[in-house]
């Protein structure tokens, strides 16, 4: 008697995904674990995810260009799931979350960070707060010498490194960073590495004290004080805005020295206005800074490897993915002393 053996259909494996269902609602959704990646893409098993201000804005319903539900997470470290091309299974990588078209004018000029049709993981498409994600090969960088937590902090630090590179700082520049949150601290750290004299301005004494205690920034100023006094009366050669606040950006213009540069790291929905005569007599440059490029990611990783950036001071706390639904609203509402929370999987 012939007995035919039939193959049982493969059972799809599942994973839990940190998802903002709608403003104010975050939960873990079960989805199918990806087993295949498109040509030119790589499957990455996520190790750690930094929580960004963008993620909190998505939870709060403040992000202007987003469709719900959305799996969040764009500050990602992971391990290559299967050997492919130059990548070896198990290799630790940093994920660049900015997916570019490689065809528009910006991309053709080597500026994929401001691609005209850019898609950011966790914003324009589902992100990496899950067990596995597929990523274009060009968006992976070897995280040699870094830990999983350090690798998850590279992306947010690259924002500041990119802004500093855009500003072309020199050692004789006097710099003011407005906003001492995570992006502002990252910007200040790389501005200091350039040799410039760095000052910080914030409305929170707690954040300023933390910048001094954890990172050694001595030149801190509380909003409302007369910052243009004594040796600072001529203003600042470079100001980096990391506040995300239109009024704060406008308040920065009078603080600019003649022959200065104003780098807008943060973005706001409002219209920014300023006095044109004052702007012209100072011959000020306004520089937009968006996302980061591979060069900036490499700059950050090199600084971490050489201990020029203290990642232990940056990481405020870690939380397991399964514990995040009970924790995320507390994190979102009490961020004054929070620099970086990292989710581990």
């Amino acid at each position: 008697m012939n007995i035919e053996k039939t193959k049982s259909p493969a059972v799809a494996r599942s994973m839990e995904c940190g998802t903002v269902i709608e403003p104010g609602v975050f939960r873990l959704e079960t989805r199918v674990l990806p087993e295949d990646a498109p040509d030119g893409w790589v499957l990455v098993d996520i190790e750690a995810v930094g929580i960004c201000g963008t993620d909190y804005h998505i939870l709060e319903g403040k992000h202007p260009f987003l469709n719900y539900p959305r799996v969040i997470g764009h500050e990602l470290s992971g391990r290559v799931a299967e050997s492919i091309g130059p990548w070896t299974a198990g290799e630790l990588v940093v994920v660049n979350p900015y997916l570019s078209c490689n065809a528009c004018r910006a991309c053709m000029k080597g500026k994929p960070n401001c691609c005209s049709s850019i898609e950011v993981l966790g914003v324009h498409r589902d992100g990496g707060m899950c067990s596995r994600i597929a990523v274009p090969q060009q968006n992976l960088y070897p995280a040699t010498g870094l830990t999983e937590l350090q690798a998850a902090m590279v992306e947010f630090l690259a924002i500041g490194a990119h802004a500093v590179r855009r500003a072309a700082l020199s050692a004789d520049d006097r710099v003011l960073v407005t906003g001492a949150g995570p992006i502002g601290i990252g910007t200040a750290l790389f501005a200091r590495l350039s040799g410039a004299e760095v000052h910080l301005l914030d409305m929170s004494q707690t954040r300023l004290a933390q910048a001094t205690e954890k990172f050694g920034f001595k030149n801190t100023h509380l909003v409302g004080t007369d910052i243009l006094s004594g040796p600072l009366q001529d203003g600042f050669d470079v100001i980096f805005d990391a506040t995300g606040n239109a009024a704060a950006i406008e308040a920065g213009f009078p603080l600019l020295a003649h022959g200065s540069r104003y780098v807008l790291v943060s973005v706001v929905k409002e219209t920014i206005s300023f006095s044109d005569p004052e702007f012209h007599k100072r011959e000020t440059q306004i520089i937009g800074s968006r996302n980061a490029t591979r060069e900036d990611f490499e700059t950050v990783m090199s600084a971490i490897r050489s201990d020029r950036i203290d990642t232990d001071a940056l990481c405020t706390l870690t939380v397991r993915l399964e514990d995040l639904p009970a924790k995320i609203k507390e994190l979102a509402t009490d961020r004054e002393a929070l620099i970086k929370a990292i989710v581990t999987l």
Side-chain angles (χ1 to χ4, degrees):
M1 184 173 80
N2 292 327
I3 300 176
E4 283 192 14
K5 292 185 177 179
T6 57
K7 264 191 177 180
S8 299
V11 177
R13 292 190 289 168
S14 63
M15 63 179 180
E16 297 298 302
C17 302
T19 309
V20 179
I21 307 300
E22 60 186 36
V25 181
F26 176 88
R27 64 171 177 251
L28 301 184
E29 276 202 332
T30 302
R31 299 195 182 182
V32 174
L33 183 82
E35 301 284 2
D36 298 294
D39 289 344
W41 291 50
V42 180
L43 292 175
V44 177
D45 291 328
I46 299 300
E47 291 281 354
V49 185
I51 305 180
C52 175
T54 298
D55 299 317
Y56 296 124
H57 291 156
I58 292 170
L59 178 66
E60 295 161 348
K62 296 178 181 178
H63 201 287
F65 308 116
L66 185 127
N67 295 318
Y68 297 92
R70 177 64 71 226
V71 178
I72 59 173
H74 62 271
E75 300 178 5
L76 309 171
S77 74
R79 294 189 180 275
V80 175
E82 299 175 348
S83 297
I84 180 173
W87 303 103
T88 304
E91 183 176 0
L92 184 66
V93 293
V94 170
V95 176
N96 179 334
Y98 321 127
L99 277 55
S100 56
C101 72
N102 300 316
C104 71
R105 188 162 182 80
C107 286
M108 297 301 288
K109 294 183 72 176
K111 298 181 178 182
N113 59 300
C114 56
C115 167
S116 61
S117 55
I118 198 167
E119 289 188 304
V120 180
L121 296 176
V123 180
H124 304 98
R125 60 163 64 202
D126 284 339
M129 197 169 282
C130 55
S131 297
R132 180 178 289 177
I133 190 172
V135 182
Q137 287 196 41
Q138 67 189 30
N139 286 69
L140 296 183
Y141 310 139
T144 309
L146 273 59
T147 67
E148 291 89 345
L149 293 184
Q150 288 175 326
M153 286 185 264
V154 170
E155 188 273 341
F156 97 86
L157 288 169
I159 300 292
H162 182 72
V164 169
R165 183 163 63 88
R166 293 273 291 148
L169 289 186
S170 63
D172 62 352
D173 278 329
R174 180 190 294 157
V175 170
L176 177 68
V177 178
T178 59
I183 298 299
I185 290 294
T187 303
L189 288 170
F190 283 95
R192 184 167 65 185
L193 287 177
S194 75
E197 175 190 320
V198 179
H199 295 248
L200 283 163
L201 175 68
D202 199 278
M203 62 189 301
S204 166
Q205 188 60 60
T206 298
R207 283 194 288 268
L208 292 175
Q210 185 169 242
T212 299
E213 293 161 12
K214 286 194 169 189
F215 306 103
F217 288 107
K218 304 298 184 185
N219 301 316
T220 62
H221 310 273
L222 194 63
V223 169
T225 58
D226 182 14
I227 193 170
L228 295 183
S229 60
L232 302 179
Q233 61 183 337
D234 292 332
F236 295 88
D237 304 301
V238 182
I239 296 180
F240 295 92
D241 176 81
T243 65
N245 181 281
I249 293 173
E250 292 178 350
F253 281 93
L255 305 180
L256 289 159
H258 286 243
S260 56
R261 293 153 345 255
Y262 200 176
V263 185
L264 303 184
V265 190
S266 64
V267 61
V268 297
K269 291 192 291 183
E270 297 91 342
T271 298
I272 302 300
S273 62
F274 53 88
S275 166
D276 188 58
E278 290 294 326
F279 172 77
H280 269 81
K281 80 178 185 181
R282 286 171 167 79
E283 199 182 46
T284 301
Q285 296 178 57
I286 298 180
I287 302 171
S289 183
R290 187 182 186 195
N291 299 328
T293 66
R294 179 171 191 138
E295 179 179 349
D296 306 307
F297 279 75
E298 296 288 358
T299 295
V300 171
M301 288 190 282
S302 175
I304 293 173
R305 291 187 192 106
S306 59
D307 294 324
R308 289 175 292 151
I309 296 293
D310 184 354
T311 52
D312 288 340
L314 289 167
C315 182
T316 309
L317 62 91
T318 60
V319 57
R320 295 284 302 175
L321 178 60
E322 56 264 34
D323 299 327
L324 189 58
K327 189 81 175 173
I328 193 168
K329 285 189 178 179
E330 175 189 340
L331 295 175
T333 55
D334 187 18
R335 284 184 270 162
E336 191 172 30
L338 181 67
I339 300 177
K340 184 57 57 180
I342 298 181
V343 179
T344 58
L345 286 88

